[in-house]
């Protein structure tokens, strides 16, 4: 997030951005299955790395007729240690 270099799921709805802090990070230097489960009807979001939940059923906004735009990546502001991120085989189930 912008304030504390914490991994988050960022939700933007109706012009308001909410940062949902993740409780863990994916492991370093190994391929990891990242699962993002968005329940747009029930208003919940879950994030897991290789089946280990980093965000569990966090409340999200429910908006009639809503849709989701999902972006996967890393945003780094200011000086930081060097890192690499690779993304492959993105699959969307709905």
């Amino acid at each position: 997030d912008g304030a504390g270099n914490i991994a988050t799921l960022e939700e933007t709805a109706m012009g308001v951005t909410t940062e949902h802090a993740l409780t863990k990070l994916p492991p370093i230097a190994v391929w990891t299955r990242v699962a993002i489960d968005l329940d747009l009807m029930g208003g919940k979001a879950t994030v897991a790395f290789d089946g280990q939940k980093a965000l569990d059923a966090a409340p999200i906004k429910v908006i009639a007729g809503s849709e989701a735009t999902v972006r996967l990546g890393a945003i780094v502001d200011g000086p930081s240690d060097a890192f690499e991120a690779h993304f492959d085989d993105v699959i969307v189930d709905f």
Side-chain angles (χ1 to χ4, degrees):
D1 73 344
N5 293 327
I6 299 168
T8 63
L9 175 73
E10 183 178 281
E11 170 194 4
T12 302
M14 301 176 64
V16 176
T17 299
T18 304
E19 302 278 348
H20 301 281
L22 303 183
T23 59
K24 60 182 71 184
L25 295 172
I28 296 172
V30 296
W31 284 101
T32 304
R33 180 184 168 105
V34 178
I36 303 170
D37 183 4
L38 301 175
D39 179 353
L40 299 180
M41 299 291 286
K44 298 194 183 317
T46 300
V47 176
F49 303 120
D50 284 335
Q52 300 295 311
K53 291 183 181 175
L55 182 68
D56 190 11
I60 58 174
K61 282 240 187 282
V62 175
I63 302 168
S66 67
E67 58 187 43
T69 299
V70 178
R71 295 182 181 109
L72 180 63
I75 299 172
V76 179
D77 294 323
S80 74
D81 295 337
F83 72 93
E84 288 185 29
H86 301 271
F87 306 96
D88 193 9
D89 295 338
V90 176
I91 300 169
V92 177
D93 293 324
F94 59 96

